[in-house]
Amino acid sequence: MASGRHQRLAADELRPDHAVDPGTVRYRLEARLQRALHHPGQAMRRGYLKQQRSQGLTEFALIAPVLLLLTFGIIDFGRGLYFYITLQQAANEGARVAVRASYFIDPNGSTHQWPTDADVATAVQQHAVTENLANPCPNGPIPNNGNPVGSAQLPPSNSGWIFITDAVTPGGTGTPNGPRGGLGSLPAPGPGCNTITPAVGNEAIKVTLWFNFQPLTPLIQQAVGNRIIITAYAVYRAEYSN
């Protein structure tokens, strides 16, 4: 170590009393100042970039919840629209099968194989694709006089019900309330359900679907009570002949 009146320590050395040499500190500050004077843009750029990173993180933390809410909201809207379009097509197909006797005429032309509730349910389920649909009361009545809002009876989450009824009464309590072939392979209706009175001429038959759609977004779930009942229906007039 050099000695003298103006003795300086190396950058990585300390005095025995662990005090930092003022000369060393002054030397380092002077070096940084010289670099800043000779390269002012570099120093300013470093400070600017550090400030921008901090500001960007703060802004992202503020807008991230909003972006996530919008993203999942768009997904829920798309799912709901898909279910509605699919169910409406399924209801149309079910009603078409219920009234079209020509699809069930015996090839020999001697007898008619009239459509049944089971045929309608099969056609609806095939066109509903991913939706799970059941027939608790295949020929009604439709709960709450046909209005799902406020109804105490609703399908389970992400599943639905099929009703084949008359086209006049809202709750499906009139007759005729089914295709000419009757229930088909479906079991007999349980307590509280209507018995089937098949159409025989050109009466109107209505196919109604209720689907309990459950959104994914928690905020939307709270807003709609954790469910949205999607309804679809189709009314066709029978084309039977004796």
Side-chain angles (χ1 to χ4, degrees), residues 124-144:
V124 170
Q125 186 62 72
Q126 287 177 348
H127 282 72
V129 190
T130 58
E131 289 88 336
N132 182 28
L133 304 175
N135 310 80
C137 286
N139 300 104
I142 305 175
N144 200 34

Side-chain angles (χ1 to χ4, degrees), residues 125-205:
Q125 186 62 72
Q126 287 177 348
H127 282 72
V129 190
T130 58
E131 289 88 336
N132 182 28
L133 304 175
N135 310 80
C137 286
N139 300 104
I142 305 175
N144 200 34
N145 202 30
N147 185 7
V149 178
S151 175
Q153 297 174 288
L154 293 173
S157 296
N158 293 321
S159 62
W161 289 341
I162 305 172
F163 301 100
I164 308 166
T165 63
D166 71 290
V168 179
T169 59
T173 56
T175 57
N177 59 358
R180 187 163 179 173
L183 285 171
S185 60
L186 292 183
C193 298
N194 294 336
T195 57
I196 186 170
T197 303
V200 294
N202 64 344
E203 300 93 341
I205 297 177

Side-chain angles (χ1 to χ4, degrees), residues 33-228:
L33 180 60
Q34 290 296 329
R35 286 196 299 269
L37 291 175
H38 288 287
H39 305 283
Q42 183 178 4
M44 293 177 63
R45 185 164 57 252
R46 288 177 179 173
Y48 175 77
L49 292 177
K50 184 180 295 184
Q51 181 182 4
Q52 286 295 100
R53 284 196 295 268
S54 301
Q55 182 178 355
L57 290 175
T58 303
E59 292 176 350
F60 178 77
L62 292 175
I63 66 174
V66 179
L67 291 177
L68 290 175
L69 178 62
L70 289 175
T71 300
F72 282 101
I74 292 172
I75 293 174
D76 274 334
F77 177 79
R79 291 177 64 233
L81 183 61
Y82 166 77
F83 285 144
Y84 172 75
I85 294 175
T86 303
L87 291 169
Q88 187 59 59
Q89 292 176 344
N92 283 327
E93 182 62 19
R96 186 182 66 84
V97 168
V99 301
R100 292 294 299 274
S102 59
Y103 283 179
F104 299 90
I105 295 177
D106 180 74
N108 298 325
S110 58
T111 60
H112 286 77
Q113 301 295 323
W114 302 111
T116 65
D117 277 357
D119 296 324
V120 175
T122 299
V124 170
Q125 186 62 72
Q126 287 177 348
H127 282 72
V129 190
T130 58
E131 289 88 336
N132 182 28
L133 304 175
N135 310 80
C137 286
N139 300 104
I142 305 175
N144 200 34
N145 202 30
N147 185 7
V149 178
S151 175
Q153 297 174 288
L154 293 173
S157 296
N158 293 321
S159 62
W161 289 341
I162 305 172
F163 301 100
I164 308 166
T165 63
D166 71 290
V168 179
T169 59
T173 56
T175 57
N177 59 358
R180 187 163 179 173
L183 285 171
S185 60
L186 292 183
C193 298
N194 294 336
T195 57
I196 186 170
T197 303
V200 294
N202 64 344
E203 300 93 341
I205 297 177
K206 181 179 181 180
V207 174
T208 303
L209 306 180
W210 281 15
F211 187 81
N212 189 345
F213 170 68
Q214 185 174 14
L216 297 175
T217 309
L219 185 60
I220 297 179
Q221 290 178 359
Q222 295 177 5
V224 300
N226 203 30
R227 64 172 176 261
I228 299 175

Side-chain angles (χ1 to χ4, degrees), residues 11-34:
D12 57 348
E13 293 181 350
L14 294 176
R15 292 177 181 275
D17 57 354
H18 301 289
V20 179
D21 182 12
T24 302
V25 176
R26 184 171 61 252
Y27 173 76
R28 292 178 179 176
L29 291 176
E30 289 176 354
R32 292 182 181 178
L33 180 60
Q34 290 296 329

